[in-house]
Amino acid sequence: MGVEGRDRVKVMDIGAHALSGQLGKTIQRLRKAYNLSLSELAEQSGVAKSIISQIERNETNPTLATIWRLSQALDVSIERVLSSGDDEPFIDKTTKGDTPILMSDDGKVRLGIIGWIKTVEWLQWYDVQAEPGGVLDSDAHQRGSIECLSVIEGEFEVEVGDQVQRAKAGETLRYRCDRPHSVRCVATTPSHATMVCILKAAVMD
């Protein structure tokens, strides 16, 4: 049954509000995944900090141009930013071109963000590609957080505090990441691993 006149406008307003709410959550999750502050995202996207804050709080309906700028700054397709339907069955596919990439300071370690953006506040999942000698230095995460590095090819070394361990293909290192830590490629050939970070895990005393 079709909806006309003022009822149609009302339905459209409700739909726009729902979409805006989902958009705000998505923008916030992506921003946190990149460890970006509101000011940093504003600088990279050209969208005012106050506008981004309003979007995340579902207080405004942004224009398509604003959504496009934010999606470009967050290195994700506009289709994914606008996607919704939490309660519907789905199969979500991310192409290689749509996978956000982070690089280590030395440019030798490449992290592909392959985890679901909706779980980024408590579970983060990465594909790790490293050149020989590449080092990924990380600051401390939230207290109680645990990281798991499963080596697919090559060899990696993890250093946390005064503890150092190495793992080869088929081996996994699990370690506290709520303190500064480093992951190094110690193989003489390119290495490959998956990394899962569990945030807000049970506090370890």
Side-chain angles (χ1 to χ4, degrees):
M1 181 178 69
V3 182
E4 301 297 338
R6 284 179 295 179
D7 287 340
R8 178 179 175 82
V9 173
K10 183 177 180 180
V11 169
M12 291 176 65
D13 286 343
I14 292 173
H17 184 75
L19 179 60
S20 178
Q22 180 64 32
L23 172 67
K25 292 178 182 178
T26 301
I27 294 297
Q28 187 178 69
R29 289 192 184 101
L30 286 169
R31 178 172 65 79
K32 289 183 177 180
Y34 281 107
N35 294 316
L36 292 174
S37 66
L38 285 169
S39 297
E40 289 170 332
L41 180 55
E43 181 178 352
Q44 293 186 22
S45 66
V47 178
K49 175 182 174 181
S50 59
I51 296 298
I52 299 174
S53 179
Q54 289 174 12
I55 292 172
E56 291 188 357
R57 296 197 307 270
N58 192 24
E59 294 177 351
T60 185
N61 291 322
T63 65
L64 186 59
T66 295
I67 298 173
W68 185 85
R69 289 179 181 177
L70 291 172
S71 69
Q72 292 297 299
L74 293 167
D75 195 24
V76 66
S77 69
I78 196 168
E79 290 83 5
R80 291 191 66 193
V81 171
L82 291 172
S83 65
S84 59
D86 291 347
D87 297 329
E88 298 177 4
F90 70 95
I91 298 178
D92 182 56
K93 177 181 178 180
T94 301
T95 65
K96 183 177 180 180
D98 282 339
T99 302
I101 301 298
L102 301 176
M103 298 294 295
S104 61
D105 291 339
D106 62 9
K108 293 184 177 181
V109 182
R110 176 181 179 274
L111 295 181
I113 303 177
I114 55 178
W116 200 21
I117 61 172
K118 294 187 178 183
T119 67
V120 73
E121 295 179 16
W122 57 275
L123 179 67
Q124 299 173 1
W125 184 10
Y126 304 93
D127 180 74
V128 184
Q129 303 274 355
E131 297 296 326
V135 180
L136 178 66
D137 291 319
S138 300
D139 294 329
H141 301 311
Q142 298 160 352
R143 179 167 173 76
S145 297
I146 302 294
E147 209 160 77
C148 304
L149 183 75
S150 297
V151 182
I152 299 172
E153 184 179 2
E155 185 174 8
F156 288 88
E157 177 182 272
V158 172
E159 181 176 357
V160 184
D162 59 355
Q163 299 292 313
V164 178
Q165 284 280 358
R166 290 189 175 188
K168 297 180 179 180
E171 300 178 331
T172 297
L173 294 175
R174 299 179 182 87
Y175 45 95
R176 292 185 63 164
C177 57
D178 57 358
R179 56 198 64 191
H181 51 286
S182 298
V183 176
R184 300 183 183 90
C185 176
V186 293
T188 56
T189 56
S191 296
H192 184 200
T194 59
M195 178 190 293
V196 177
C197 182
I198 307 170
L199 302 172
K200 299 181 180 178
V203 175
M204 300 172 57
D205 294 322

